[in-house]
Amino acid sequence: PTGHGKKVKGGSLDVHPTEKALIVQYELEATILGEMGDPMVGERKECQKIIRLKSLNANTDIATLARKVVEECRLIHPSKLPEVEQLLFYLLNRKKSGNDKREKHSPRDLAPFEGMELDEEANINRIDHYVELLYEDIPEKVRGATLILHLARNPDNLEELLQNETALGALARVLREDWKQSVDLATTIIYVFFCFSSFSQFHGQVTHYKIGALCMNIIEHELKRYDLWQDELQKKAANQNVKKEHEKAFKKYQGLLIKQEQLLQVALHLLLNLAEDTRTELKMRNKNIVHTLVKTLDREDEELLVLVVSFLKKLSIFLENKNDMAETYAVEKLARLLPCKHEDLLNTTLRLLLNLSFDTGLRSQMVQAGLIPKLSALLADESQRQLCVCILYHISVDDRFKSMFAYTDCIPQLMKMLFDCGESPMDPELISFCINLAANKRNAQVICEGNGLKMLMKRGLKLKDVLTMKMIRNVSQHDGPTKNLFIDYVGDLAAQTGVQEREEYVIECLGTLANLTIPDLDWELVLKEYNLVPFLKDHLKPGSAEDDLILEVVIMIGTVSMDDSCAAMMAKSGIISALIELLNSQQEDDEFVCQIVYVFYQMVFHQATRDVIIKDTQAPAYLIDLMHDKNAEIRKVCDNTLDIIAEYDEEWGRKIQSEKFRWHNYQWLEMVDNRAMGDDGEPFMYGDDGEPFMHNGDILERPDLFYSAGTEESRNTQQRLNLFYSAGTEGSRNTQQRLNLFYSAGTAGGR
């Protein structure tokens, strides 16, 4: 035989069953010729070529696309142009059947891409021939790599390919040396290694050839190229004289972009698979993988974005990576993806945002990026609702952002979701989110609009639902129109305390009642009708119930004590002494101390209870002890209460004044005590005439030193004393200088 020939016979055209693609069926006839040129041996093979049409959409010009397909595919005869148009039109209008939903590719499986088609079937027995092609020019290298890829896409061949170190070594070498020369070549070879990376047991071989590090370099290079393309396009767009040139450049750019995104997708898929091992992931982090991925979020290709967001989600569970995402403002770029029609992309983006929403700083970024209204709008989508509620719940934890929800349609949607639950249990995330929102005054008003409060009370009281009551309690704490709405429910709430209910439920009901500081409310009638006084007194005993319930009882007593007749009822029942006993046992708990002192503050306003507190109890003495507590709120309430007591009782007034003086001037008094006797026992506190200044008395028992209503002498003393009120604010040197003014210039010791 002296030669061979190939004939291609064009065949039929058809549409792809699932993808936007045409299938060209053709026949390949190979003939070996004899010496005289006559055919000796012939072989025929049925082949097919798939022409994928990713860009086909409602805006596509069918006629133009059909011409382009016929021009570029030599297997289709020009006479078949009308048939191509018809098939394209059919593809465009073909409806997907209910069970044939959009094909999904898991991170372990990549969709085939343009350039993978072959006119021959790959055979594992010809692997050596395919490896030889890797030593030829670029087109042959691409062909050899593509044939190996077709073998690698079948998992049954992977073990055998793995044994062929020559093939894998050659692929790794070609990728390392030639990846800049051909995007197709780089994509195909990385795809081969991706097939291995889909199985954990082959990760060692992929890392052995350093494919991961190479992929990182390739991705970085491609992103820089993308920036350059963008700059060039902007320059050409700015120059009106080269409009045609810009259009031409834009078309070229779109072609390059498709190929580049295929390369990025394959490379990132491979890295994502290798990142299963946290040590490998750490190496990627050291090479700035987070910055690279965040930069890729600017792309438009949805499949690529799904991959990038999935990768970021995997990385986000580590603190360092999460901090990198905060630095690169990833949230701002993720906000751009919401909402979107691509379900996988939407779901993955929300899951990543949920991971990030545990960080306070990132929650601030979410609010600044305008995510509250976007996520609120997505509550209408049942498939994404749970994720949106969880993210919004985290945002609502921060008091700074609670008020922003009032200006979206979030609260009406949440209320509808609550009432749709009927009598069945609610999602804890949903009710927790509502509880947080109810802590804001404007939100509480929106919640109460319509029959909001009525429906909540109905559910809370009927189902004895603790969390619904907690939400109601938060609504009740706000002054204004919302508080007055509760007048209708005071009886229902008070009735819950007398029944043997769960303690946590009673706490919420009692807490709601305690919030109702409404002037028009007749508390005396409520206390009598529901016999609340014995209940309140019994629950003041230390250990009679959980601390939370006892605290609510104290707060409730403080609320009803604003009413004169209620305060008298409390005093007669012996509640004041019970409060003092409770104060003794809970003196380390600031919340208890503050609330008990507040009850005393309310009671000293009324004549009946004031007399009981001042004459029959040791409450003022306790208040004096607490006057200098380290808690600012306790000090404030104590001071206000003691001021009222001092105004109505002279004896306690003097004691309080004396204690305040002692406290204010304790440094000076201490110094006076220490200097009263010198080292040799000689008294220092004498004037020139030898008479002691204090006449052997206690300085604090001299009322003329406190009040300037006396003689000229006492006024002068008061002026001098004023020099010591600021003791402690300056150094001891200044204090000493002021003391010299006070002592007589008589003895040497005094000087």
Side-chain angles (χ1 to χ4, degrees):
T2 58
H4 65 276
K6 277 186 186 179
K7 279 186 186 177
V8 177
K9 281 189 183 177
S12 62
L13 276 169
D14 202 353
V15 292
H16 194 283
T18 57
E19 295 180 35
K20 282 184 184 175
L22 295 175
I23 298 175
V24 185
Q25 305 283 0
Y26 64 96
E27 197 176 82
L28 187 67
E29 190 179 301
T31 316
I32 297 173
L33 305 174
E35 288 181 6
M36 306 299 291
D38 50 324
M40 286 178 63
V41 184
E43 188 187 344
R44 290 184 178 188
K45 193 160 75 170
E46 295 287 335
C47 301
Q48 70 173 35
K49 180 176 175 66
I50 298 173
I51 303 168
R52 286 187 172 76
L53 306 155
K54 282 188 179 177
S55 60
L56 184 65
N57 58 48
N59 302 320
T60 306
D61 183 344
I62 298 288
T64 310
L65 182 59
R67 278 199 301 276
K68 190 179 176 188
V69 169
V70 172
E71 282 168 16
E72 292 187 6
C73 183
R74 293 180 184 176
L75 297 169
I76 304 172
H77 195 271
S79 63
K80 291 198 175 183
L81 181 61
E83 190 184 342
V84 173
E85 278 187 36
Q86 198 176 349
L87 291 172
L88 291 176
F89 187 75
Y90 169 77
L91 271 176
L92 185 62
N93 296 295
R94 178 171 66 181
K95 288 182 180 176
K96 293 178 182 178
S97 59
N99 55 8
D100 178 31
K101 292 188 176 172
R102 183 176 53 77
E103 190 183 349
K104 290 186 180 180
H105 303 286
S106 70
R108 291 208 174 279
D109 180 34
L110 264 172
F113 55 84
E114 218 173 319
M116 269 180 64
E117 302 85 10
L118 281 173
D119 54 7
E120 68 172 288
E121 198 174 326
N123 188 328
I124 192 75
N125 298 320
R126 301 197 64 206
I127 184 71
D128 293 339
H129 170 64
Y130 304 154
V131 172
E132 284 172 16
L133 291 173
L134 296 175
Y135 293 89
E136 304 296 330
D137 293 334
I138 295 294
E140 292 302 307
K141 284 178 178 173
V142 173
R143 182 175 175 77
T146 307
L147 285 159
I148 295 171
L149 172 57
H150 275 254
L151 294 174
R153 276 177 64 80
N154 180 354
D156 298 337
N157 294 329
L158 289 176
E159 287 279 6
E160 197 170 333
L161 284 172
L162 203 64
Q163 304 305 319
N164 195 328
E165 288 185 13
T166 312
L168 292 182
L171 284 167
R173 179 188 58 76
V174 171
L175 180 62
R176 205 162 30 251
E177 292 173 2
D178 296 334
W179 65 266
K180 284 186 182 177
Q181 293 182 45
S182 167
V183 174
D184 288 339
L185 181 63
T187 307
T188 309
I189 296 176
I190 293 171
Y191 204 144
V192 173
F193 285 103
F194 161 76
C195 294
F196 286 101
S197 75
S198 297
F199 299 92
S200 302
Q201 64 264 40
F202 300 142
H203 284 188
Q205 282 76 5
V206 179
T207 40
H208 170 72
Y209 290 107
K210 296 189 169 57
I211 301 301
L214 196 49
C215 282
M216 289 287 293
N217 294 338
I218 292 170
I219 292 166
E220 199 177 322
H221 175 78
E222 289 301 326
L223 291 176
K224 284 176 183 170
R225 280 180 69 196
Y226 176 76
D227 291 340
L228 287 172
W229 294 344
Q230 295 280 55
D231 291 344
E232 280 177 32
L233 275 176
Q234 282 174 1
K235 283 175 189 171
K236 285 180 179 172
N239 189 348
Q240 296 295 327
N241 302 326
V242 286
K243 196 174 180 184
K244 279 186 181 177
E245 199 179 317
H246 172 253
E247 286 173 9
K248 189 179 171 186
F250 185 69
K251 281 181 182 174
K252 183 185 173 188
Y253 160 76
Q254 283 184 312
L256 291 169
L257 193 62
I258 289 168
K259 289 195 170 188
Q260 189 188 64
E261 286 179 345
Q262 285 171 354
L263 172 59
L264 291 175
Q265 205 172 335
V266 181
L268 287 170
H269 254 299
L270 183 141
L271 291 173
L272 177 57
N273 287 350
L274 293 181
E276 265 183 14
D277 184 342
T278 47
R279 289 168 301 179
T280 308
E281 190 178 300
L282 183 61
K283 288 178 187 174
M284 291 181 194
R285 188 196 170 263
N286 293 338
K287 282 181 168 281
N288 271 341
I289 185 72
V290 174
H291 293 69
T292 303
L293 290 167
V294 171
K295 202 173 178 186
T296 317
L297 285 173
D298 294 328
R299 301 304 183 100
E300 299 298 329
D301 184 89
E302 289 177 334
E303 292 298 332
L304 176 61
L305 286 170
V306 171
L307 173 63
V308 172
V309 177
S310 301
F311 207 153
L312 284 169
K313 180 169 75 73
K314 183 188 183 308
L315 295 168
S316 68
I317 60 172
F318 291 101
L319 180 73
E320 298 83 358
N321 297 332
K322 182 263 297 174
N323 291 341
D324 284 352
M325 288 176 211
E327 284 172 22
T328 50
Y329 295 97
V331 168
E332 202 176 296
K333 296 193 176 187
L334 290 168
R336 181 184 74 86
L337 306 178
L338 296 181
C340 72
K341 290 176 183 175
H342 194 291
E343 202 172 318
D344 285 353
L345 179 56
L346 180 58
N347 187 269
T348 314
T349 305
L350 289 172
R351 287 180 184 281
L352 170 57
L353 286 169
L354 177 58
N355 282 4
L356 299 179
S357 68
F358 285 88
D359 181 272
T360 315
L362 284 163
R363 286 201 295 270
S364 297
Q365 285 188 26
M366 287 177 195
V367 174
Q368 286 164 11
L371 275 179
I372 290 180
K374 285 186 173 188
L375 292 167
S376 299
L378 280 169
L379 289 172
D381 181 350
E382 272 192 51
S383 57
Q384 313 300 345
R385 183 178 291 166
Q386 182 72 6
L387 286 168
C388 292
V389 167
C390 291
I391 299 165
L392 289 169
Y393 163 70
H394 282 160
I395 292 172
S396 73
V397 168
D398 197 319
D399 288 336
R400 292 175 299 163
F401 308 135
K402 283 187 173 81
S403 60
M404 295 184 181
F405 290 91
Y407 306 101
T408 68
D409 63 344
C410 179
I411 295 171
Q413 286 196 72
L414 292 175
M415 294 301 284
K416 183 179 182 301
M417 286 154 64
L418 280 182
F419 301 140
D420 285 348
C421 292
E423 294 187 7
S424 56
M426 290 180 287
D427 286 337
E429 295 85 5
L430 172 62
I431 187 63
S432 303
F433 181 25
C434 292
I435 290 166
N436 282 356
L437 292 183
N440 174 268
K441 187 175 181 177
R442 179 74 191 99
N443 291 342
Q445 289 170 357
V446 179
I447 287 167
C448 292
E449 281 174 7
N451 288 327
L453 182 60
K454 184 180 176 182
M455 300 287 281
L456 284 172
M457 288 299 293
K458 187 178 174 183
R459 181 186 168 90
L461 294 169
K462 185 178 179 182
L463 302 177
K464 313 289 184 192
D465 187 340
V466 176
L467 292 175
T468 304
M469 289 309 300
K470 196 180 281 287
M471 180 182 174
I472 291 167
R473 179 179 167 187
N474 275 0
V475 172
S476 71
Q477 71 185 345
H478 306 293
D479 294 325
T482 48
K483 194 166 276 193
N484 294 323
L485 296 173
F486 282 87
I487 290 179
D488 298 339
Y489 306 106
V490 170
D492 294 324
L493 290 164
Q496 306 306 310
T497 56
V499 193
Q500 290 300 313
E501 297 291 355
R502 283 184 301 160
E503 205 166 81
E504 58 264 37
Y505 176 67
V506 175
I507 287 170
E508 300 308 331
C509 294
L510 204 59
T512 307
L513 279 173
N515 283 335
L516 303 183
T517 49
I518 305 169
D520 302 335
L521 190 54
D522 187 348
W523 277 115
E524 186 184 9
L525 186 66
V526 176
L527 291 179
K528 284 178 179 173
E529 190 171 331
Y530 295 96
N531 199 25
L532 288 181
V533 175
F535 170 84
L536 296 174
K537 188 180 177 185
D538 290 346
H539 284 82
L540 280 179
K541 293 170 187 168
S544 62
E546 287 291 325
D547 281 359
D548 286 348
L549 181 56
I550 298 173
L551 182 61
E552 289 308 324
V553 167
V554 174
I555 296 169
M556 179 71 184
I557 293 168
T559 300
V560 298
S561 296
M562 294 167 76
D563 183 280
D564 198 12
S565 50
C566 287
M569 282 172 72
M570 296 290 166
K572 282 177 193 169
S573 67
I575 274 180
I576 296 172
S577 53
L579 283 168
I580 291 172
E581 189 185 336
L582 183 64
L583 184 61
N584 272 329
S585 65
Q586 297 284 1
Q587 54 190 317
E588 297 302 317
D589 189 319
D590 282 1
E591 184 68 27
F592 263 104
V593 172
C594 193
Q595 293 298 346
I596 293 170
V597 172
Y598 178 74
V599 173
F600 293 152
Y601 173 70
Q602 289 294 353
M603 287 186 166
V604 294
F605 277 106
H606 313 295
Q607 178 68 44
T609 44
R610 184 167 56 241
D611 291 345
V612 173
I613 285 174
I614 293 171
K615 292 171 183 169
D616 301 345
T617 73
Q618 285 300 305
Y622 279 102
L623 291 170
I624 287 172
D625 283 345
L626 291 167
M627 198 162 56
H628 312 304
D629 194 274
K630 55 182 179 289
N631 185 302
E633 284 301 314
I634 293 174
R635 288 201 305 272
K636 185 180 171 184
V637 183
C638 265
D639 280 347
N640 292 339
T641 312
L642 288 169
D643 287 346
I644 297 167
I645 291 172
E647 197 177 321
Y648 285 96
D649 189 282
E650 282 187 24
E651 187 183 341
W652 275 113
R654 282 197 298 275
K655 286 179 182 176
I656 293 162
Q657 189 69 43
S658 172
E659 178 56 34
K660 284 186 176 180
F661 180 85
R662 277 181 190 281
W663 178 257
H664 197 71
N665 297 287
Y666 79 96
Q667 283 187 327
W668 172 68
L669 292 169
E670 198 177 306
M671 206 178 296
V672 168
D673 287 343
N674 291 340
R675 283 177 163 274
M677 298 296 287
D679 293 339
D680 54 359
E682 286 294 318
F684 279 177
M685 298 288 283
Y686 286 84
D688 290 338
D689 54 0
E691 282 293 311
F693 279 114
M694 299 303 163
H695 305 286
N696 299 319
D698 185 348
I699 187 169
L700 296 177
E701 289 173 3
R702 292 278 303 278
D704 54 318
L705 296 181
F706 301 107
Y707 310 107
S708 56
T711 59
E712 183 65 33
E713 184 183 349
S714 70
R715 272 202 301 279
N716 293 340
T717 311
Q718 178 64 33
Q719 287 166 5
R720 287 172 186 159
L721 269 174
N722 286 341
L723 294 170
F724 305 111
Y725 277 110
S726 57
T729 55
E730 296 190 30
S732 57
R733 217 168 33 251
N734 293 342
T735 308
Q736 182 61 46
Q737 287 165 4
R738 288 176 184 164
L739 276 171
N740 290 341
L741 293 172
F742 191 70
Y743 302 158
S744 166
T747 63
R751 283 199 297 281

